[in-house]
Amino acid sequence: MLTLPAYAATSATEPLTPTTVERRDVGPHDVLIEIKYVGICHSDIHNVRSEWGPAFVIDTSTLA
């Protein structure tokens, strides 16, 4: 398993917090890329704050 650094919105009123996520190992038909920079969509901020209804939660443990 790969343990990767990430940031999570754990509260609608607090800043993003550092965390880690577990990803499966790279398989024979996969490509491993290094991501150096990312951004956040303003829609994500609205979602975390439940400004468009109940927040949509993604369970990253199900991502392959």
Side-chain angles (χ1 to χ4, degrees):
M1 293 292 272
L2 297 172
T3 302
L4 304 169
Y7 279 84
T10 57
S11 165
T13 58
E14 297 295 322
L16 297 175
T17 56
T19 189
T20 58
V21 292
E22 295 285 327
R23 296 297 310 242
R24 65 174 172 76
D25 289 328
V26 178
H29 300 288
D30 296 330
V31 176
L32 179 63
I33 60 171
E34 181 180 2
I35 299 172
K36 293 197 177 247
Y37 305 98
V38 297
I40 185 169
C41 178
H42 199 73
S43 299
D44 296 328
I45 296 169
H46 288 297
N47 184 46
V48 167
R49 293 179 180 165
S50 297
E51 294 174 344
W52 293 340
F56 178 73
V57 176
I58 297 175
D59 179 1
T60 59
S61 68
T62 63
L63 299 176

